[in-house]
């Protein structure tokens, strides 16, 4: 057993003890602090660039979304025309879907596409009124389409889906019901993520910093099972309970202090949920620096392994910041350069280009006046498109192939 105070494993510790494991713990904590600061600095840089981008291109991007919305409404007006059929009808429906997705994917879009999507889905199934039978293949296609649109598993059985397919007038209500189900599911998942913030803090309830049932999402840190078992029965659990008691907001009468403790409890609860030893130790170094820990060699080794995993996760997080997964990183990925001046130049050029594209799009929309014109446009869209040099996105190529 190694007896030490929390302050002995602080990154600021001089570590005069001859203990290689203790030295490794301190070294890893220092590295984690450096990586966290590096990631935070990049996040600040990305956020700052995003705010600069909003000032330059947001208005034009919103106008583009409105122009695409108006064009999509125009396209939808042709879906009821019987003279648009076969491949051309399919091309029209695919075109409408693409434009809806383009609006939804735009990080500056403020326009709901729900009405467009409902009209598009209803258009897909107007021809079902003439069907006398619905086979298993059509039901499967319908299920896959619903799953893709709502990004969830469709639990309805085949008979329910068949009933909808046989009565297209039910499609709108059915889609609305699925949408409400999706929204309710998302809201429930969000609430569950924060509903247990203080559920395990009661002094009379036995609680463990490391749970037996250990499941985490892909973005959280994956720990070896053996390490979890060792840490679960170490003094770290005592440390967690002591911190939870000390930082409980209900013990404060002053409103400002209560709010501060509430935020600290959120941090501690998050550390417990993610089995984040580093965060636990950092909070302990601030609030319980003299708390004594008796740790076995396996426990120290498990702590080292956990901190190594934290380092790996921070490295992954840093590289993920260059992937277009949020509005901020989408703008960063698309427009940033080696220096801010070049990035701003990119944004200004894009804003200017958007104005031209909006004018062209509005003229195109106005030109779709008759079924004859639309059939001609759809015929052109069905023609194989020759590759052009402008189609090549060098940044996307580098992102995919790493060159």
């Amino acid at each position: 057993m190694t007896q030490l105070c929390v302050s002995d494993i602080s990154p600021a510790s001089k570590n005069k003890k001859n203990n290689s494991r203790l030295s490794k713990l301190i070294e890893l904590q220092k590295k984690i602090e450096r990586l966290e600061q590096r990631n935070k600095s990049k996040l600040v840089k990305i956020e700052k660039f995003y705010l600069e981008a909003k000032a330059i291109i947001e208005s034009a991007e919103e106008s583009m979304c409105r122009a695409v919305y108006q064009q999509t409404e125009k396209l939808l007006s042709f879906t009821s025309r019987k003279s648009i059929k076969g491949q051309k009808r399919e091309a029209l429906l695919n075109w409408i879907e693409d434009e809806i997705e383009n609006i939804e994917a735009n990080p500056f879009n403020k326009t709901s596409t729900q009405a467009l999507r409902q009209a598009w889905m209803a258009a897909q199934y107007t021809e079902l009124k003439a069907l006398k039978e619905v086979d298993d293949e059509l039901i499967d296609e319908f299920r896959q389409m619903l799953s893709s649109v709502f990004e969830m598993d469709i639990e309805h059985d085949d008979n329910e889906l068949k009933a909808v397919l046989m009565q297209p007038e039910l499609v709108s209500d059915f889609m609305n019901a699925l949408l409400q189900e999706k929204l309710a599911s998302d809201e429930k998942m969000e609430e569950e993520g924060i509903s247990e913030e203080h559920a395990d803090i009661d002094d009379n309830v036995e609680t463990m910093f490391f749970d037996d049932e250990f499941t985490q999402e892909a973005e959280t840190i994956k720990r070896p099972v053996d390490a979890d078992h060792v840490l679960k029965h170490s003094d770290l659990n005592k440390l967690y309970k002591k911190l939870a008691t000390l930082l409980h907001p209900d013990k404060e009468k002053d409103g400002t202090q209560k709010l501060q403790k509430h935020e600290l409890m959120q941090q501690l609860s998050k550390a417990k949920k993610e089995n984040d030893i580093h965060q636990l130790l950092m909070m302990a170094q601030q609030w319980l620096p003299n708390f004594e820990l008796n740790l076995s060699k396996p426990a120290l080794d498990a702590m080292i392994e956990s901190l190594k995993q934290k380092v790996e996760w921070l490295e992954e997080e840093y590289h993920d910041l260059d992937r277009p997964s949020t509005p901020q990183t989408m703008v960063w990925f698309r427009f940033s350069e080696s220096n801010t001046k070049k990035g701003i130049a990119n944004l200004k050029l894009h804003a200017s280009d958007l104005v031209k594209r909006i004018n062209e799009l509005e003229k195109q929309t106005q030109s779709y006046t008759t079924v004859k014109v639309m059939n001609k446009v759809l015929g052109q869209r069905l023609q194989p498109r020759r590759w052009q040099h402008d189609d090549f996105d060098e940044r996307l190529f580098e992102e995919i192939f790493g060159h």
Side-chain angles (χ1 to χ4, degrees):
M1 281 289 203
T2 300
Q3 185 174 7
L4 45 83
C5 289
V6 167
S7 58
D8 292 332
I9 48 179
S10 162
S13 173
K14 301 300 182 179
N15 183 27
K16 296 180 180 180
K17 297 185 178 183
N18 185 20
N19 188 316
S20 60
R21 289 180 175 83
L22 183 56
S23 298
K24 188 65 176 177
L25 276 174
I26 295 172
E27 176 190 336
L28 284 168
Q29 287 203 84
K30 287 180 179 178
K31 185 171 185 177
I32 288 170
E33 283 194 334
R34 290 196 302 271
L35 294 179
E36 285 182 332
Q37 185 57 47
R38 178 197 64 177
N39 292 10
K40 182 179 179 181
S41 296
K42 188 165 186 177
L43 273 170
V44 170
K45 191 174 181 180
I46 291 173
E47 180 63 29
K48 181 181 178 182
F49 186 75
Y50 177 70
L51 293 175
E52 292 172 334
K54 285 185 69 175
I56 297 171
I57 67 174
E58 183 176 36
S59 178
E61 288 286 1
E62 290 176 359
S63 296
M64 173 58 81
C65 287
R66 287 192 293 271
V68 175
Y69 191 101
Q70 291 167 2
Q71 184 193 63
T72 308
E73 285 184 315
K74 189 74 171 182
L75 296 176
L76 281 163
S77 71
F78 287 96
T79 58
S80 61
R81 308 306 288 267
K82 294 181 179 179
S83 54
I84 299 177
K85 54 188 177 180
Q87 287 186 328
K88 289 183 178 179
R89 177 173 175 78
E90 183 178 351
L92 176 60
L93 291 172
N94 288 339
W95 185 3
I96 293 169
E97 182 182 19
D98 288 343
E99 297 300 4
I100 293 173
E101 290 178 350
N102 286 337
I103 297 172
E104 293 171 343
N106 191 308
F108 296 102
N109 174 52
K110 295 179 180 178
T111 306
S112 171
T113 59
Q114 183 177 347
L116 294 180
R117 207 166 259 293
Q118 286 180 343
W120 168 73
M121 288 186 287
Q124 284 189 307
Y125 294 99
T126 52
E127 64 270 27
L128 292 175
K129 291 180 180 179
L131 287 180
K132 294 182 179 180
E133 292 186 5
V134 175
D135 58 22
D136 291 341
E137 183 178 353
L138 185 57
I139 293 173
D140 287 340
E141 290 178 1
F142 187 41
R143 185 185 298 278
Q144 290 173 16
M145 186 276 291
L146 294 173
S147 180
S148 175
V149 169
F150 293 102
E151 297 181 339
M152 66 179 186
D153 293 333
I154 306 302
E155 303 294 343
H156 300 267
D157 61 34
D158 288 355
N159 289 332
E160 291 178 277
L161 298 183
K162 182 177 180 178
V164 175
L165 289 171
M166 291 297 291
Q167 302 177 73
E169 62 271 16
L170 300 178
V171 169
S172 180
D173 289 342
F174 185 68
M175 298 297 179
N176 279 327
L178 285 178
L179 177 62
Q180 295 305 316
E181 182 182 333
K182 169 67 174 173
L183 294 175
S185 175
D186 290 347
E187 185 177 350
K188 182 179 179 182
M189 289 178 64
E190 186 176 346
E191 288 177 353
E192 287 178 349
I194 59 175
S195 63
E196 297 183 359
E197 281 180 0
H198 303 151
D200 56 357
I201 302 170
D202 196 309
D203 293 342
N204 298 320
V205 178
E206 286 297 320
T207 182
M208 294 293 185
F209 186 73
F210 296 88
D211 297 327
D212 286 320
E213 298 296 329
F214 182 63
T215 57
Q216 297 186 52
E217 297 178 1
E219 69 267 23
T220 57
I221 305 168
K222 295 180 175 64
R223 317 280 190 213
V225 176
D226 289 346
D228 292 334
H229 177 76
V230 171
L231 294 169
K232 177 176 178 289
H233 295 91
S234 74
D235 271 9
L236 290 177
N237 280 312
K238 295 179 182 178
L239 176 59
Y240 167 75
K241 291 184 69 175
K242 188 71 174 178
L243 279 171
T245 301
L246 179 65
L247 301 178
H248 200 299
D250 291 348
K251 297 181 181 297
E252 295 291 342
K253 294 182 179 180
D254 179 74
T256 302
Q257 291 293 325
K258 183 182 285 289
L259 180 62
Q260 180 189 27
K261 291 291 182 70
H262 176 73
E263 292 173 353
L264 288 168
M265 273 306 310
Q266 285 183 317
Q267 295 176 26
L268 185 61
S269 297
K270 185 173 184 289
K272 176 183 183 296
K273 181 179 178 181
E274 297 180 359
N275 286 0
D276 189 344
I277 291 177
H278 175 70
Q279 181 63 26
L280 176 71
L281 293 176
M282 292 299 291
M283 296 186 74
Q285 285 155 22
Q286 179 180 358
W287 295 96
L288 294 171
N290 296 320
F291 187 87
E292 292 190 353
L293 295 168
N294 289 298
L295 298 170
S296 64
K297 289 182 179 180
L300 288 170
D301 289 338
M303 290 173 68
I304 290 171
E305 180 62 27
S306 179
L307 294 180
K308 285 181 179 178
Q309 293 284 346
K310 175 83 171 182
V311 168
E312 290 179 11
W313 183 82
L314 288 169
E315 293 287 8
E316 291 175 8
E317 180 188 58
Y318 183 76
H319 293 298
D320 283 344
L321 293 175
D322 287 322
R323 298 188 176 96
S325 57
T326 66
Q328 289 81 358
T329 54
M330 286 170 70
V331 171
W332 178 261
F333 176 82
R334 175 68 177 81
F335 299 107
S336 68
E337 291 288 351
S338 55
N339 62 64
T340 304
K341 188 175 180 180
K342 289 182 179 179
I344 297 299
N346 281 345
L347 290 166
K348 291 180 177 179
L349 182 63
H350 178 66
S352 177
D353 182 58
L354 276 177
V355 173
K356 297 177 183 176
R357 288 165 55 194
I358 290 168
N359 290 332
E360 292 173 1
L361 188 59
E362 289 175 343
K363 289 179 181 178
Q364 288 176 4
T365 302
Q366 292 170 6
S367 71
Y368 303 150
T369 54
T370 65
V371 174
K372 183 178 179 179
V373 171
M374 182 52 61
N375 267 316
K376 183 179 178 180
V377 172
L378 293 171
Q380 292 171 346
R381 290 181 66 88
L382 286 169
Q383 294 297 318
R385 182 174 178 272
R386 292 185 178 181
W387 182 85
Q388 299 176 9
H389 177 71
D390 290 343
D391 293 336
F392 183 71
D393 189 329
E394 293 183 2
R395 293 194 65 185
L396 184 59
F397 182 88
E398 292 177 359
E399 171 69 15
I400 296 173
F401 296 102
H403 299 301

